[in-house]
Amino acid sequence: MNLKGQRIKTSEAVSNVSNTTGRVRAATIADRVGPFWTLGVLVLIIAIFGVVTPNFLSQGAWIATTVATTQILILALGQTFVIATGGIDLSVGAVLGMSGMVGGLTMATLMAAGLPSGATIAVGFAAGIAAGTAAGVINGLVITKMKVTPLITTLGMLGIATGVGYLIGGGQQIATIPSDITTIGFTNLFGWIPLPVLVAAVLAVIAWYYLTKTRFGRRALAIGSSAESAKRAGINTDAHLIRIYALAGGLAGVAGMLLVARLSAASPTAGDGSELHSIAAVVIGGTSLFGGRASIAGTVIGAVIIAVLQTGLVVAAVDPFWQYVAIGVVLIVAVWADQQRSKLLARKR
Protein backbone atom coordinates (compact mmCIF):
# COMPACT_ATOMS: atom_id res chain seq x y z
CA MET A 1 0.00 0.00 0.00
CA ASN A 2 2.83 2.35 0.91
CA LEU A 3 4.65 1.40 -2.27
CA LYS A 4 1.53 2.16 -4.33
CA GLY A 5 1.12 5.52 -2.63
CA GLN A 6 4.75 6.35 -3.30
CA ARG A 7 4.29 5.51 -6.98
CA ILE A 8 1.29 7.82 -7.19
CA LYS A 9 3.23 10.67 -5.56
CA THR A 10 6.16 10.08 -7.89
CA SER A 11 3.82 10.12 -10.91
CA GLU A 12 2.25 13.38 -9.74
CA ALA A 13 5.67 14.92 -9.19
CA VAL A 14 6.78 13.92 -12.70
CA SER A 15 3.55 15.34 -14.12
CA ASN A 16 4.07 18.65 -12.26
CA VAL A 17 7.65 18.90 -13.50
CA SER A 18 6.45 18.20 -17.03
CA ASN A 19 3.74 20.86 -16.81
CA THR A 20 6.18 23.38 -15.36
CA THR A 21 8.70 22.63 -18.10
CA GLY A 22 5.97 23.10 -20.70
CA ARG A 23 4.97 26.46 -19.22
CA VAL A 24 8.58 27.62 -19.13
CA ARG A 25 9.06 26.62 -22.78
CA ALA A 26 5.82 28.38 -23.76
CA ALA A 27 6.89 31.49 -21.84
CA THR A 28 10.32 31.44 -23.50
CA ILE A 29 8.74 31.13 -26.94
CA ALA A 30 6.27 33.94 -26.13
CA ASP A 31 9.12 36.15 -24.94
CA ARG A 32 11.15 35.55 -28.10
CA VAL A 33 8.31 35.68 -30.61
CA GLY A 34 6.62 38.70 -28.99
CA PRO A 35 8.67 41.38 -30.78
CA PHE A 36 8.19 39.75 -34.20
CA TRP A 37 4.59 38.56 -34.37
CA THR A 38 3.30 42.05 -35.22
CA LEU A 39 5.67 42.23 -38.19
CA GLY A 40 4.26 38.91 -39.41
CA VAL A 41 0.71 40.24 -39.02
CA LEU A 42 1.64 43.36 -41.01
CA VAL A 43 3.13 41.32 -43.85
CA LEU A 44 0.05 39.08 -43.90
CA ILE A 45 -2.36 42.04 -44.05
CA ILE A 46 -0.38 43.68 -46.86
CA ALA A 47 -0.33 40.39 -48.79
CA ILE A 48 -4.09 39.94 -48.41
CA PHE A 49 -4.90 43.46 -49.58
CA GLY A 50 -2.34 43.13 -52.38
CA VAL A 51 -4.14 40.04 -53.71
CA VAL A 52 -7.71 41.24 -53.16
CA THR A 53 -7.12 44.78 -54.43
CA PRO A 54 -4.01 45.12 -56.66
CA ASN A 55 -4.41 48.92 -56.58
CA PHE A 56 -3.35 48.74 -52.94
CA LEU A 57 0.25 48.32 -54.10
CA SER A 58 0.16 51.47 -56.25
CA GLN A 59 2.09 54.64 -55.54
CA GLY A 60 -1.09 56.54 -54.64
CA ALA A 61 -2.14 53.94 -52.07
CA TRP A 62 1.39 53.88 -50.66
CA ILE A 63 1.41 57.66 -50.14
CA ALA A 64 -2.08 57.55 -48.58
CA THR A 65 -0.96 54.81 -46.20
CA THR A 66 2.22 56.59 -45.15
CA VAL A 67 0.36 59.87 -44.59
CA ALA A 68 -2.17 58.05 -42.40
CA THR A 69 0.69 56.38 -40.56
CA THR A 70 2.27 59.77 -39.79
CA GLN A 71 -0.63 61.04 -37.71
CA ILE A 72 -1.14 57.74 -35.89
CA LEU A 73 2.56 57.19 -35.26
CA ILE A 74 3.38 60.61 -33.85
CA LEU A 75 0.49 60.32 -31.40
CA ALA A 76 1.46 56.73 -30.60
CA LEU A 77 5.07 57.68 -29.78
CA GLY A 78 3.89 59.87 -26.92
CA GLN A 79 1.26 57.30 -25.95
CA THR A 80 4.01 54.66 -25.71
CA PHE A 81 5.77 56.57 -22.94
CA VAL A 82 2.47 57.23 -21.16
CA ILE A 83 1.38 53.58 -21.25
CA ALA A 84 4.88 52.48 -20.25
CA THR A 85 4.27 54.27 -16.93
CA GLY A 86 1.00 52.39 -16.45
CA GLY A 87 -1.12 55.38 -17.51
CA ILE A 88 -3.20 56.22 -20.56
CA ASP A 89 -3.98 59.40 -22.51
CA LEU A 90 -7.45 59.60 -24.02
CA SER A 91 -7.06 63.26 -24.89
CA VAL A 92 -4.42 63.13 -27.64
CA GLY A 93 -6.93 63.19 -30.50
CA ALA A 94 -8.78 66.21 -29.12
CA VAL A 95 -5.49 67.93 -28.28
CA LEU A 96 -4.39 67.34 -31.88
CA GLY A 97 -7.48 69.18 -33.15
CA MET A 98 -7.17 71.97 -30.58
CA SER A 99 -3.47 72.47 -31.34
CA GLY A 100 -4.22 72.74 -35.02
CA MET A 101 -6.89 75.36 -34.30
CA VAL A 102 -4.51 77.38 -32.10
CA GLY A 103 -1.84 77.23 -34.81
CA GLY A 104 -4.39 78.07 -37.51
CA LEU A 105 -5.75 81.06 -35.62
CA THR A 106 -2.21 82.30 -34.95
CA MET A 107 -1.31 82.07 -38.63
CA ALA A 108 -4.55 83.74 -39.72
CA THR A 109 -3.95 86.62 -37.30
CA LEU A 110 -0.32 87.12 -38.30
CA MET A 111 -1.13 86.87 -42.00
CA ALA A 112 -3.78 89.58 -41.57
CA ALA A 113 -1.15 91.72 -39.84
CA GLY A 114 1.13 91.40 -42.88
CA LEU A 115 3.83 89.17 -41.40
CA PRO A 116 5.89 87.29 -44.04
CA SER A 117 4.63 83.82 -44.92
CA GLY A 118 7.65 81.90 -43.60
CA ALA A 119 7.60 83.63 -40.22
CA THR A 120 3.83 83.22 -39.98
CA ILE A 121 4.07 79.48 -40.53
CA ALA A 122 6.96 79.12 -38.07
CA VAL A 123 5.15 81.02 -35.31
CA GLY A 124 1.93 79.12 -36.07
CA PHE A 125 3.69 75.77 -35.70
CA ALA A 126 5.31 76.91 -32.44
CA ALA A 127 1.95 78.08 -31.07
CA GLY A 128 0.24 74.81 -31.97
CA ILE A 129 2.96 72.66 -30.41
CA ALA A 130 3.02 74.89 -27.30
CA ALA A 131 -0.76 74.50 -26.92
CA GLY A 132 -0.45 70.73 -27.08
CA THR A 133 2.40 70.73 -24.58
CA ALA A 134 0.39 72.92 -22.20
CA ALA A 135 -2.52 70.49 -22.33
CA GLY A 136 -0.11 67.65 -21.52
CA VAL A 137 1.38 69.56 -18.58
CA ILE A 138 -2.12 70.14 -17.19
CA ASN A 139 -2.83 66.42 -17.50
CA GLY A 140 0.37 65.62 -15.63
CA LEU A 141 -0.30 68.14 -12.87
CA VAL A 142 -3.85 66.91 -12.27
CA ILE A 143 -2.68 63.28 -12.18
CA THR A 144 0.26 63.87 -9.84
CA LYS A 145 -0.89 66.73 -7.61
CA MET A 146 -4.64 66.18 -7.45
CA LYS A 147 -4.27 62.39 -7.57
CA VAL A 148 -6.97 61.96 -10.22
CA THR A 149 -6.52 58.77 -12.26
CA PRO A 150 -5.07 59.13 -15.79
CA LEU A 151 -8.26 57.69 -17.31
CA ILE A 152 -10.52 60.34 -15.77
CA THR A 153 -8.01 63.18 -16.13
CA THR A 154 -7.40 62.66 -19.83
CA LEU A 155 -11.09 61.97 -20.47
CA GLY A 156 -11.79 65.37 -18.94
CA MET A 157 -9.06 66.95 -21.07
CA LEU A 158 -10.63 65.35 -24.13
CA GLY A 159 -13.79 67.32 -23.45
CA ILE A 160 -11.92 70.52 -22.60
CA ALA A 161 -9.70 70.40 -25.70
CA THR A 162 -12.67 69.60 -27.93
CA GLY A 163 -14.61 72.55 -26.55
CA VAL A 164 -11.66 74.93 -26.85
CA GLY A 165 -11.12 73.83 -30.45
CA TYR A 166 -14.73 74.62 -31.33
CA LEU A 167 -14.65 77.94 -29.45
CA ILE A 168 -11.53 79.12 -31.28
CA GLY A 169 -13.14 78.79 -34.68
CA GLY A 170 -16.75 79.32 -33.69
CA GLY A 171 -17.45 75.73 -34.68
CA GLN A 172 -15.87 76.23 -38.10
CA GLN A 173 -12.51 75.36 -39.62
CA ILE A 174 -9.85 78.02 -40.21
CA ALA A 175 -8.72 78.14 -43.83
CA THR A 176 -7.20 81.63 -44.07
CA ILE A 177 -3.63 80.47 -43.62
CA PRO A 178 -0.55 80.91 -45.85
CA SER A 179 -0.75 78.76 -48.98
CA ASP A 180 2.98 78.05 -48.66
CA ILE A 181 2.19 75.66 -45.81
CA THR A 182 1.24 73.05 -48.40
CA THR A 183 4.94 72.75 -49.21
CA ILE A 184 5.31 70.97 -45.88
CA GLY A 185 2.23 68.82 -46.31
CA PHE A 186 2.59 67.79 -49.94
CA THR A 187 6.32 67.58 -50.68
CA ASN A 188 7.19 63.99 -51.61
CA LEU A 189 10.87 63.09 -51.56
CA PHE A 190 11.79 60.99 -54.61
CA GLY A 191 8.06 60.88 -55.36
CA TRP A 192 7.43 58.23 -52.69
CA ILE A 193 8.22 59.68 -49.27
CA PRO A 194 6.00 62.55 -48.02
CA LEU A 195 7.90 65.08 -45.90
CA PRO A 196 5.66 64.50 -42.84
CA VAL A 197 6.61 60.82 -42.99
CA LEU A 198 10.27 61.77 -42.76
CA VAL A 199 9.47 63.93 -39.73
CA ALA A 200 7.64 61.01 -38.10
CA ALA A 201 10.56 58.68 -38.83
CA VAL A 202 13.04 61.06 -37.21
CA LEU A 203 10.78 61.41 -34.17
CA ALA A 204 10.51 57.62 -33.93
CA VAL A 205 14.31 57.23 -33.91
CA ILE A 206 14.61 59.91 -31.21
CA ALA A 207 11.86 58.24 -29.15
CA TRP A 208 13.58 54.86 -29.49
CA TYR A 209 16.85 56.35 -28.29
CA TYR A 210 15.28 58.03 -25.27
CA LEU A 211 13.28 54.93 -24.31
CA THR A 212 16.15 52.46 -24.58
CA LYS A 213 19.34 54.43 -24.02
CA THR A 214 18.59 57.16 -21.48
CA ARG A 215 17.43 57.57 -17.90
CA PHE A 216 14.26 59.20 -19.23
CA GLY A 217 13.08 55.90 -20.70
CA ARG A 218 14.38 53.75 -17.87
CA ARG A 219 12.57 55.88 -15.32
CA ALA A 220 9.33 55.66 -17.29
CA LEU A 221 9.57 51.86 -17.32
CA ALA A 222 10.51 51.81 -13.63
CA ILE A 223 7.41 53.83 -12.75
CA GLY A 224 5.28 51.45 -14.82
CA SER A 225 6.77 48.41 -13.09
CA SER A 226 6.27 49.83 -9.58
CA ALA A 227 5.78 53.51 -8.81
CA GLU A 228 6.50 52.89 -5.13
CA SER A 229 9.78 51.11 -5.87
CA ALA A 230 10.73 53.92 -8.27
CA LYS A 231 10.20 56.47 -5.49
CA ARG A 232 12.35 54.44 -3.11
CA ALA A 233 15.06 54.37 -5.78
CA GLY A 234 15.16 58.15 -5.69
CA ILE A 235 13.10 58.90 -8.81
CA ASN A 236 10.90 61.99 -8.61
CA THR A 237 7.90 60.17 -10.07
CA ASP A 238 5.59 63.20 -10.06
CA ALA A 239 8.02 65.38 -12.03
CA HIS A 240 8.72 62.56 -14.47
CA LEU A 241 5.04 61.86 -15.08
CA ILE A 242 4.46 65.54 -15.81
CA ARG A 243 7.28 65.38 -18.38
CA ILE A 244 5.78 62.24 -19.93
CA TYR A 245 2.32 63.77 -20.36
CA ALA A 246 3.86 67.02 -21.61
CA LEU A 247 5.69 64.96 -24.23
CA ALA A 248 2.47 63.25 -25.30
CA GLY A 249 0.73 66.62 -25.59
CA GLY A 250 3.61 68.20 -27.48
CA LEU A 251 3.68 65.35 -30.00
CA ALA A 252 -0.09 65.72 -30.43
CA GLY A 253 0.64 69.36 -31.26
CA VAL A 254 3.22 68.31 -33.86
CA ALA A 255 0.73 65.88 -35.42
CA GLY A 256 -1.93 68.57 -35.43
CA MET A 257 0.23 71.10 -37.24
CA LEU A 258 1.43 68.56 -39.81
CA LEU A 259 -2.22 67.74 -40.49
CA VAL A 260 -2.98 71.44 -40.93
CA ALA A 261 -0.15 71.56 -43.49
CA ARG A 262 -1.68 68.59 -45.29
CA LEU A 263 -5.27 69.90 -45.28
CA SER A 264 -4.34 73.57 -45.76
CA ALA A 265 -6.85 74.28 -43.00
CA ALA A 266 -7.35 73.77 -39.27
CA SER A 267 -10.38 71.78 -38.13
CA PRO A 268 -11.55 71.13 -34.55
CA THR A 269 -12.59 67.61 -35.56
CA ALA A 270 -9.26 66.71 -37.20
CA GLY A 271 -8.25 64.35 -34.41
CA ASP A 272 -11.57 62.63 -33.75
CA GLY A 273 -10.96 58.94 -33.02
CA SER A 274 -7.18 59.29 -33.15
CA GLU A 275 -6.81 58.39 -29.47
CA LEU A 276 -8.20 54.91 -30.22
CA HIS A 277 -5.79 54.48 -33.11
CA SER A 278 -2.79 55.58 -31.03
CA ILE A 279 -3.65 53.23 -28.16
CA ALA A 280 -4.26 50.37 -30.57
CA ALA A 281 -0.90 50.96 -32.29
CA VAL A 282 0.95 50.96 -28.97
CA VAL A 283 -0.71 47.82 -27.60
CA ILE A 284 -0.44 45.94 -30.91
CA GLY A 285 3.26 46.83 -30.87
CA GLY A 286 3.83 44.99 -27.61
CA THR A 287 3.76 47.74 -25.00
CA SER A 288 1.99 46.42 -21.92
CA LEU A 289 -1.16 48.21 -20.79
CA PHE A 290 -0.07 47.42 -17.25
CA GLY A 291 3.18 49.38 -17.67
CA GLY A 292 6.81 48.40 -17.30
CA ARG A 293 7.33 47.12 -20.85
CA ALA A 294 7.43 49.16 -24.06
CA SER A 295 8.74 49.01 -27.62
CA ILE A 296 9.08 51.92 -30.04
CA ALA A 297 9.83 49.55 -32.93
CA GLY A 298 6.64 47.67 -32.06
CA THR A 299 4.69 50.94 -31.94
CA VAL A 300 5.93 51.83 -35.44
CA ILE A 301 4.74 48.47 -36.77
CA GLY A 302 1.44 48.82 -34.91
CA ALA A 303 0.86 52.27 -36.42
CA VAL A 304 1.55 50.93 -39.91
CA ILE A 305 -0.91 48.06 -39.31
CA ILE A 306 -3.67 50.52 -38.38
CA ALA A 307 -2.88 52.71 -41.40
CA VAL A 308 -2.79 49.71 -43.74
CA LEU A 309 -6.19 48.59 -42.47
CA GLN A 310 -7.59 52.08 -43.06
CA THR A 311 -6.19 52.46 -46.58
CA GLY A 312 -6.77 48.85 -47.58
CA LEU A 313 -10.43 48.90 -46.66
CA VAL A 314 -10.92 52.17 -48.56
CA VAL A 315 -9.15 50.84 -51.67
CA ALA A 316 -11.21 47.65 -51.40
CA ALA A 317 -14.36 49.84 -51.46
CA VAL A 318 -15.44 48.59 -48.03
CA ASP A 319 -17.75 50.84 -46.00
CA PRO A 320 -15.38 53.13 -44.04
CA PHE A 321 -17.30 52.46 -40.83
CA TRP A 322 -15.88 48.93 -40.91
CA GLN A 323 -12.49 50.50 -40.14
CA TYR A 324 -13.60 51.06 -36.56
CA VAL A 325 -14.81 47.46 -36.31
CA ALA A 326 -11.54 46.08 -37.70
CA ILE A 327 -9.37 48.26 -35.46
CA GLY A 328 -11.49 47.41 -32.42
CA VAL A 329 -11.15 43.68 -33.09
CA VAL A 330 -7.40 43.97 -33.60
CA LEU A 331 -7.10 45.95 -30.36
CA ILE A 332 -9.02 43.35 -28.34
CA VAL A 333 -6.95 40.50 -29.79
CA ALA A 334 -3.73 42.41 -29.07
CA VAL A 335 -4.71 43.03 -25.44
CA TRP A 336 -5.72 39.39 -25.02
CA ALA A 337 -2.39 38.24 -26.47
CA ASP A 338 -0.54 40.65 -24.15
CA GLN A 339 -2.39 39.24 -21.14
CA GLN A 340 -1.58 35.65 -22.12
CA ARG A 341 2.07 36.56 -22.65
CA SER A 342 2.22 38.29 -19.26
CA LYS A 343 0.72 35.22 -17.55
CA LEU A 344 3.23 32.90 -19.21
CA LEU A 345 6.15 35.13 -18.23
CA ALA A 346 4.85 35.36 -14.65
CA ARG A 347 4.70 31.57 -14.43
CA LYS A 348 8.20 31.31 -15.81
CA ARG A 349 9.48 33.50 -12.97
Side-chain angles (χ1 to χ4, degrees):
M1 187 68 178
N2 290 337
L3 181 59
K4 183 178 180 181
Q6 186 65 34
R7 287 175 178 172
I8 291 174
K9 290 181 179 179
T10 302
S11 177
E12 290 177 348
V14 171
S15 178
N16 289 336
V17 170
S18 178
N19 290 337
T20 301
T21 302
R23 287 195 296 268
V24 170
R25 287 176 179 173
T28 301
I29 293 172
D31 197 30
R32 291 177 179 177
V33 173
F36 302 103
W37 79 273
T38 50
L39 183 59
V41 170
L42 174 60
V43 172
L44 178 61
I45 293 174
I46 291 175
I48 292 173
F49 279 126
V51 172
V52 175
T53 56
N55 288 337
F56 178 73
L57 301 177
S58 67
Q59 181 183 22
W62 161 261
I63 292 176
T65 301
T66 54
V67 168
T69 301
T70 299
Q71 179 178 330
I72 298 169
L73 176 57
I74 294 177
L75 292 180
L77 292 175
Q79 193 80 255
T80 300
F81 284 92
V82 170
I83 294 179
T85 66
I88 196 164
D89 193 342
L90 299 178
S91 68
V92 289
V95 171
L96 181 155
M98 180 198 70
S99 299
M101 292 298 289
V102 170
L105 177 63
T106 300
M107 287 187 285
T109 302
L110 294 177
M111 190 171 70
L115 198 69
S117 178
T120 297
I121 293 172
V123 175
F125 264 74
I129 295 171
T133 304
V137 169
I138 293 171
N139 280 337
L141 287 171
V142 172
I143 291 168
T144 58
K145 304 306 180 183
M146 298 176 65
K147 304 304 179 185
V148 180
T149 62
L151 178 68
I152 300 302
T153 298
T154 58
L155 184 61
M157 180 56 72
L158 183 155
I160 293 170
T162 299
V164 171
Y166 279 115
L167 288 170
I168 288 174
Q172 304 295 321
Q173 67 176 14
I174 299 174
T176 53
I177 59 178
S179 57
D180 292 346
I181 197 170
T182 57
T183 302
I184 299 173
F186 284 91
T187 297
N188 295 327
L189 304 177
F190 310 109
W192 285 85
I193 305 174
L195 185 58
V197 173
L198 182 60
V199 173
V202 171
L203 290 175
V205 172
I206 295 173
W208 169 83
Y209 176 80
Y210 271 89
L211 180 66
T212 61
K213 305 296 183 182
T214 70
R215 287 184 297 178
F216 186 87
R218 288 194 293 271
R219 288 175 176 176
L221 295 173
I223 293 171
S225 295
S226 174
E228 189 60 35
S229 296
K231 286 181 181 179
R232 292 175 181 174
I235 297 174
N236 187 336
T237 56
D238 285 358
H240 202 66
L241 284 173
I242 293 171
R243 295 187 195 102
I244 293 291
Y245 282 92
L247 173 65
L251 287 174
V254 172
M257 293 311 301
L258 287 176
L259 190 58
V260 169
R262 186 74 184 180
L263 300 176
S264 300
S267 171
T269 62
D272 286 2
S274 294
E275 60 281 345
L276 171 62
H277 296 162
S278 68
I279 295 169
V282 173
V283 177
I284 291 169
T287 296
S288 175
L289 273 175
F290 307 104
R293 188 180 76 246
S295 169
I296 294 297
T299 293
V300 173
I301 296 173
V304 177
I305 287 176
I306 301 300
V308 166
L309 283 173
Q310 287 182 317
T311 306
L313 291 173
V314 170
V315 174
V318 176
D319 192 319
F321 295 116
W322 280 104
Q323 294 177 14
Y324 295 98
V325 176
I327 293 170
V329 170
V330 171
L331 176 59
I332 291 172
V333 171
V335 172
W336 175 82
D338 177 59
Q339 290 176 333
Q340 300 308 308
R341 180 169 179 263
S342 296
K343 289 178 181 178
L344 288 171
L345 292 175
R347 289 174 183 174
K348 179 181 178 181
R349 298 187 186 98

